[in-house]
Amino acid sequence: MVRRVTLREVAQEAQVSVATASLVLNNKPSRISQPTQQRIRDVARRLHYVVNENARGLVTNETRLIALIVPDIENMFFASLSKCLETECRRNGYQLFISNSDDDRTLERRLMRNFVGRDIDGLLLIPSIDSYTDRALLRDQICASPCPIVIIDRLITADICDGVGFDNELGGRLAAKKLLCAGHRRFACITGNKDSVNANTRCYGFLKTLQEHEVPADSILTLDGNYRFSGGYDAADAVADFGATCLFCCNDLMALGAIDRFRELGIAIPADISIIGYDNIVKRFGLLTRLTTVEQNVSELASQSWQCLYRHIQHHDSGRNCAEANDLLLLEPQLVEGDTVAQAPIFR
Amino acid sequence: MVRRVTLREVAQEAQVSVATASLVLNNKPSRISQPTQQRIRDVARRLHYVVNENARGLVTNETRLIALIVPDIENMFFASLSKCLETECRRNGYQLFISNSDDDRTLERRLMRNFVGRDIDGLLLIPSIDSYTDRALLRDQICASPCPIVIIDRLITADICDGVGFDNELGGRLAAKKLLCAGHRRFACITGNKDSVNANTRCYGFLKTLQEHEVPADSILTLDGNYRFSGGYDAADAVADFGATCLFCCNDLMALGAIDRFRELGIAIPADISIIGYDNIVKRFGLLTRLTTVEQNVSELASQSWQCLYRHIQHHDSGRNCAEANDLLLLEPQLVEGDTVAQAPIFR
DNA sequence: CTGAAAGCGCTAACAA
DNA sequence: TTGTTAGCGCTTTCAG
């Protein structure tokens, strides 16, 4: 370990002023003689000089720092998103700092404050669940933020700031249509956590579509899930008892759980029961089950979110957060065909 | 969005000098009158003042910033570790920035440089695979680092800097002993990636132990895996053909893959074949399979790594990286009993 | 009890 | 072609 070298030291060693050294090392258009340039660069390399970005940021008024706050980095969806966003940022010369809010609103607040303290150029935020139910706090903080903010995935209506996410209702609809087309007439649906707006919207789209196709309410079983493997596993018996010929799960993990239980019960998939999941996490995790599922294109989400934020940064956008007219971009999910959906038994 | 408020503005608004405001807002022992203190605090709150940590760091010479570089944040093990480390840092008043090297050595170098530029107080590094095979580059960079560095999990011998990781050989030994005690005499072992030193060490410990117990070489089948679900799945047939009564997989994902294939083949677990995995990722992922596995205590790893780094930071340790005598801490993995190991068939 | 002033490492306008 | 100077926002001595 070694003391940190400053620009002044490089300048001294190269027998020039700091200004000259700065000009050269930043490749600024100037008419410094070639020999001098070379000398400065050589010294800088020899001394392992690295510019102090904080000091630089102080004067240039931009840190080229972007922060990302995710509720849970252990969640594969957020982990993938982080990776994609990091790539986007890097491509544009920004550095991304990832942080974890543990889905805790207090921590989220603290992180945001910390990041503002670090003078970030922009914030990508996936809000905690709590911030859904009580938006006031978050809203205030966003309005008081000195940097642009884009909300991702968990969209909290457009009156706060710009947001990019998926059309969850459409996702539910796609699942419903697929099953209806396959001739199913008796449905089951496992929801996510109670307060997960996204999961609820998926369900809503699913049920709405069934209703529009005049499926009677008593042919539909809705069960509370927990977004986890056990949620699907535990619900499977009820689904079977109900005599459903198909099942829509608000995420893949629950679908896997249900499949596991069905297998134990000797129920064949898709022969006896068809299953659709959500997320296509199965593929990402490297499992081999070819689950029919609704996929959300994570890299598109990342790309769009970044572009949205970047626009604001470039326009030096000092008045968009909390404006009346904010952009809300809804990306379309896609149904991915696997091996877990078949024609309804009665039609065969 | 709103312009950023500076200390000067707070001071002006409160009719005091910046020095006074600084003293008060940092709770420095001073004899500023209570009324003045209150006035300053009120103004600061009203204006949403947040201290500029970069400017502060410039003068205090500490940023309270810690960086973590992981090879792949989508890997559940690293994701969990990140979470634990973040908690440790926060507890001690430091902020953790997580970054992803994609297991790419060039990117790793860039990230390290960037972080040094941000004047971090310490770096937690899980090196890329490439840095195993050619340590020279990384070594140079570590030696030239102005901040303490602790290497985590992928230990690259102790001559570079301090490291904290797990005793992978012991892990392999634990698995072997468990199976030997259960009376097994015909073994299979699925390795990880070729260049994964950790996985290889697990195998080494496993095979070494068998050898020490005089298991003949022709009673042991070793197969190349890929650390993924498919690796276990694809290897399962060979394991069955070989007539092994037990199988050790260098990670859980491959164990799950093997189990899946065995199930298809009508081979009962653990009746026909016993299986031990590694990582206990199954539990973390929320699956219900009670896999017997070798668990690594991630939160202990985080805690020890942080403590190691923190010691260096506190001792203002300007000469430990690349010193001759560095600490290498090996934590002990533990065998977690599940339902996938039974007495060898022949003994029943 | 409070303020003035120096300086952290850097960039940018302006001189020379 | 290069150097001087001011200032980014903050902390910290030292005076008053």
Side-chain angles (χ1 to χ4, degrees):
Chain A
M1 207 165 76
V2 108
R3 220 179 38 72
R4 182 129 187 224
V5 167
T6 68
L7 185 58
R8 190 216 307 274
E9 299 174 76
V10 173
Q12 273 172 353
E13 181 79 11
Q15 317 252 46
V16 294
S17 74
V18 279
T20 309
S22 172
L23 249 23
V24 170
L25 294 179
N26 288 310
N27 296 310
K28 282 284 158 64
S30 70
R31 349 182 229 331
I32 313 283
S33 71
Q34 276 307 319
T36 310
Q37 291 210 17
Q38 201 48 53
R39 195 154 29 97
I40 294 171
R41 280 186 224 285
D42 288 347
V43 171
R45 179 156 318 137
R46 182 156 52 77
L47 300 185
H48 292 287
Y49 171 73
V50 179
V51 61
N52 186 326
E53 298 281 355
N54 298 338
R56 169 188 277 171
L58 214 49
V59 23
T60 60
N61 216 18
E62 59 160 20
T63 53
R64 302 194 80 76
L65 232 46
I66 305 292
L68 169 67
I69 300 180
V70 299
D72 176 16
I73 195 66
E74 286 187 271
N75 180 317
M76 189 67 77
F77 176 74
F78 297 134
S80 302
L81 182 62
S82 306
K83 261 179 125 164
C84 294
L85 282 171
E86 206 174 1
T87 309
E88 294 288 339
C89 290
R90 186 164 42 239
R91 230 203 299 271
N92 293 272
Y94 285 78
Q95 195 176 359
L96 182 72
F97 287 154
I98 305 164
S99 267
N100 211 66
S101 72
D102 269 338
D103 241 326
D104 177 280
R105 191 234 238 86
T106 313
L107 193 46
E108 180 178 279
R109 276 186 80 76
R110 250 178 85 177
L111 286 174
M112 282 178 69
R113 230 187 110 92
N114 284 342
F115 279 130
V116 167
R118 302 292 175 186
D119 213 11
I120 53 172
D121 286 345
L123 173 65
L124 298 160
L125 174 66
I126 302 163
S128 64
I129 290 280
D130 292 338
S131 297
Y132 268 134
T133 45
D134 175 13
R135 311 202 325 252
L137 261 179
L138 182 61
R139 195 194 141 84
D140 287 350
Q141 203 176 8
I142 288 179
C143 290
S145 160
C147 71
I149 298 177
V150 170
I151 290 185
I152 305 183
D153 185 51
R154 296 181 174 176
L155 302 179
I156 307 185
T157 64
D159 65 333
I160 299 192
C161 64
D162 283 6
V164 182
F166 289 105
D167 187 338
N168 286 285
E169 182 177 339
L170 175 63
R173 285 183 177 280
L174 291 175
K177 276 184 197 142
K178 174 73 188 171
L179 295 173
L180 283 165
C181 287
H184 292 275
R185 290 295 175 267
R186 208 162 168 81
F187 303 83
C189 168
I190 306 181
T191 67
N193 289 329
K194 273 244 167 37
D195 29 31
S196 163
V197 177
N198 284 346
N200 292 344
T201 312
R202 291 169 196 174
C203 268
Y204 173 79
F206 182 75
L207 298 174
K208 187 90 177 295
T209 306
L210 295 187
Q211 199 186 319
E212 285 166 7
H213 286 75
E214 270 137 40
V215 175
D218 61 2
S219 299
I220 307 172
L221 176 69
T222 308
L223 293 164
D224 285 344
N226 58 359
Y227 248 1
R228 291 187 295 186
F229 191 88
S230 61
Y233 187 90
D234 295 340
D237 288 80
V239 173
D241 291 346
F242 183 69
T245 62
C246 64
L247 168 64
F248 172 55
C249 298
C250 282
N251 77 351
D252 282 356
L253 219 41
M254 295 194 294
L256 290 176
I259 289 174
D260 223 48
R261 180 60 184 152
F262 286 140
R263 187 138 58 173
E264 288 175 3
L265 294 172
I267 295 172
I269 296 163
D272 299 328
I273 192 161
S274 292
I275 298 188
I276 296 185
Y278 212 107
D279 273 352
N280 211 358
I281 211 167
V282 174
K283 188 185 67 186
R284 190 162 290 132
F285 198 62
L287 304 188
L288 298 174
T289 316
R290 295 201 357 102
L291 182 66
T292 298
T293 190
V294 179
E295 181 169 86
Q296 304 180 321
N297 189 332
V298 174
S299 74
E300 193 193 352
L301 178 63
S303 154
Q304 295 289 349
S305 307
W306 167 250
Q307 277 170 42
C308 180
L309 184 64
Y310 194 42
R311 274 198 299 276
H312 287 210
I313 293 176
Q314 287 190 307
H315 296 165
H316 222 69
D317 222 344
S318 38
R320 288 305 299 283
N321 292 340
C322 290
E324 282 78 36
N326 285 298
D327 290 337
L328 204 70
L329 183 58
L330 278 192
L331 307 178
E332 296 195 355
Q334 305 231 283
L335 190 89
V336 174
E337 303 274 356
D339 295 334
T340 56
V341 170
Q343 288 295 112
I346 195 162
F347 285 87
R348 279 181 302 213
Chain B
M1 207 165 77
V2 109
R3 221 179 36 73
R4 182 131 187 223
V5 166
T6 69
L7 185 59
R8 189 217 305 274
E9 299 174 74
V10 174
Q12 273 172 353
E13 181 80 13
Q15 317 252 44
V16 294
S17 73
V18 279
T20 309
S22 171
L23 251 21
V24 169
L25 294 179
N26 287 309
N27 296 310
K28 283 283 158 63
S30 71
R31 354 189 221 332
I32 312 285
S33 70
Q34 275 307 319
T36 310
Q37 292 210 17
Q38 201 48 52
R39 195 154 29 97
I40 294 171
R41 280 186 225 285
D42 288 346
V43 171
R45 178 155 319 135
R46 182 155 52 78
L47 301 185
H48 291 287
Y49 172 73
V50 178
V51 62
N52 186 326
E53 297 281 357
N54 298 339
R56 168 187 278 171
L58 213 50
V59 23
T60 60
N61 217 18
E62 57 160 21
T63 53
R64 303 195 80 77
L65 232 45
I66 305 292
L68 168 67
I69 300 180
V70 299
D72 176 16
I73 195 65
E74 286 187 272
N75 180 317
M76 189 68 77
F77 177 75
F78 297 135
S80 303
L81 182 61
S82 306
K83 259 179 126 164
C84 294
L85 281 171
E86 205 174 1
T87 308
E88 294 289 339
C89 289
R90 187 165 40 239
R91 231 204 298 272
N92 293 271
Y94 286 77
Q95 195 176 0
L96 183 71
F97 287 154
I98 305 165
S99 266
N100 212 65
S101 73
D102 269 337
D103 240 326
D104 177 279
R105 192 233 237 85
T106 313
L107 193 45
E108 179 179 279
R109 276 186 80 76
R110 249 178 87 178
L111 285 174
M112 283 178 68
R113 230 187 111 92
N114 285 342
F115 280 131
V116 167
R118 302 292 175 188
D119 213 11
I120 54 172
D121 286 345
L123 173 65
L124 298 160
L125 174 66
I126 302 162
S128 63
I129 291 278
D130 292 337
S131 298
Y132 268 136
T133 45
D134 175 15
R135 309 204 324 258
L137 261 178
L138 182 61
R139 195 194 142 84
D140 287 349
Q141 201 175 10
I142 288 179
C143 290
S145 161
C147 72
I149 298 177
V150 170
I151 289 185
I152 305 183
D153 185 52
R154 295 180 174 178
L155 302 178
I156 308 186
T157 64
D159 66 332
I160 298 192
C161 65
D162 283 7
V164 182
F166 289 106
D167 188 339
N168 286 285
E169 183 177 339
L170 175 62
R173 286 183 175 281
L174 291 176
K177 276 184 195 140
K178 173 72 188 173
L179 296 173
L180 284 165
C181 289
H184 291 275
R185 291 293 176 268
R186 206 163 170 81
F187 303 83
C189 169
I190 307 181
T191 67
N193 288 330
K194 272 246 168 36
D195 30 29
S196 162
V197 176
N198 285 346
N200 291 343
T201 311
R202 290 168 196 174
C203 266
Y204 173 80
F206 183 76
L207 298 174
K208 187 92 177 293
T209 306
L210 295 187
Q211 198 186 319
E212 284 166 7
H213 285 76
E214 272 137 38
V215 175
D218 60 4
S219 299
I220 307 172
L221 175 70
T222 307
L223 293 164
D224 285 344
N226 58 0
Y227 249 0
R228 291 186 293 185
F229 191 88
S230 61
Y233 187 91
D234 294 341
D237 288 81
V239 172
D241 291 346
F242 182 71
T245 63
C246 63
L247 168 65
F248 171 55
C249 297
C250 281
N251 77 351
D252 282 356
L253 220 40
M254 295 193 295
L256 290 177
I259 289 175
D260 223 48
R261 181 60 184 152
F262 286 141
R263 190 141 52 174
E264 288 175 3
L265 294 171
I267 295 172
I269 297 162
D272 299 329
I273 192 161
S274 290
I275 298 188
I276 296 185
Y278 211 108
D279 273 352
N280 212 357
I281 212 169
V282 175
K283 189 185 64 186
R284 190 163 290 132
F285 198 61
L287 303 189
L288 298 174
T289 316
R290 292 196 4 96
L291 183 65
T292 299
T293 190
V294 179
E295 180 170 87
Q296 305 181 320
N297 187 331
V298 174
S299 75
E300 193 194 352
L301 178 63
S303 156
Q304 295 289 349
S305 308
W306 167 248
Q307 277 169 43
C308 180
L309 185 64
Y310 194 40
R311 274 197 300 275
H312 287 210
I313 292 175
Q314 288 191 305
H315 296 164
H316 222 69
D317 222 345
S318 36
R320 288 304 299 284
N321 292 341
C322 290
E324 281 78 35
N326 285 298
D327 291 336
L328 204 69
L329 183 58
L330 278 193
L331 308 177
E332 296 195 354
Q334 306 232 285
L335 190 89
V336 175
E337 305 273 356
D339 296 333
T340 56
V341 171
Q343 288 294 114
I346 195 162
F347 285 86
R348 278 181 301 214

